[in-house]
Amino acid sequence: MSVDQSSTSGSRMSMRQESGVLQVDDKNEYETQFFGFTPKSFVDGVYNAIFEYLRDGIELLEKYLVSEFEKDGVSKEIVREGSQKLLSHFRVRFDRACDKLERYLMKNIFHIPSKMIQTCDVVRHY
């Protein structure tokens, strides 16, 4: 049995009832309704914030190194090239760590059990 049910945001959500349990066909929409945000957008926001801090830190390190070693004849280009290599190295490891974090969060924190339904989604028979 398929039922279209309105969510609290006013959009339509497709649901089906199987063996007395309402199943949601659009998990992203249900996650948004349940948490108030999509788990993927949360993980992306954390990733972007941390990566911005990482990039800012390397930029500050680059400025410091230029000011320290420019008087010794080390050019800005060499320092910039080194900082880009460092950022690239960090990004590979950071991406790997964030992938692990995302898998953990999606499996253990943001997982909505399949039998869980919100009270506004219960099919009422009148």
Side-chain angles (χ1 to χ4, degrees), residues 13-64:
M13 186 180 333
S14 179
M15 298 182 196
R16 64 185 187 280
Q17 187 171 7
E18 293 176 2
S19 65
V21 177
L22 197 61
Q23 300 291 321
V24 180
D25 292 331
D26 186 357
K27 189 171 183 169
N28 278 345
E29 193 168 334
Y30 200 65
E31 289 171 339
T32 303
Q33 180 183 4
F34 186 79
F35 294 116
F37 56 88
T38 63
K40 181 69 175 155
S41 68
F42 175 83
V43 172
D44 289 345
V46 168
Y47 174 91
N48 290 334
I50 295 172
F51 186 73
E52 187 176 321
Y53 285 125
L54 178 65
R55 192 176 52 233
D56 290 348
I58 290 178
E59 185 179 312
L60 287 172
L61 175 66
E62 180 182 326
K63 287 178 183 178
Y64 172 78

Side-chain angles (χ1 to χ4, degrees), residues 73-113:
V74 178
S75 70
K76 289 181 183 180
E77 289 76 32
I78 291 175
V79 173
R80 183 164 294 124
E81 182 181 320
S83 65
Q84 291 304 314
K85 284 181 182 179
L86 182 62
L87 181 61
S88 176
H89 175 79
F90 280 165
R91 184 167 197 160
V92 168
R93 274 117 189 114
F94 178 67
D95 285 348
R96 232 182 276 148
C98 282
D99 287 343
K100 287 179 185 178
L101 175 65
E102 180 177 5
R103 284 192 302 272
Y104 177 82
L105 289 173
M106 298 306 238
K107 181 181 177 187
N108 298 307
I109 306 298
F110 294 126
H111 174 73
I112 300 173

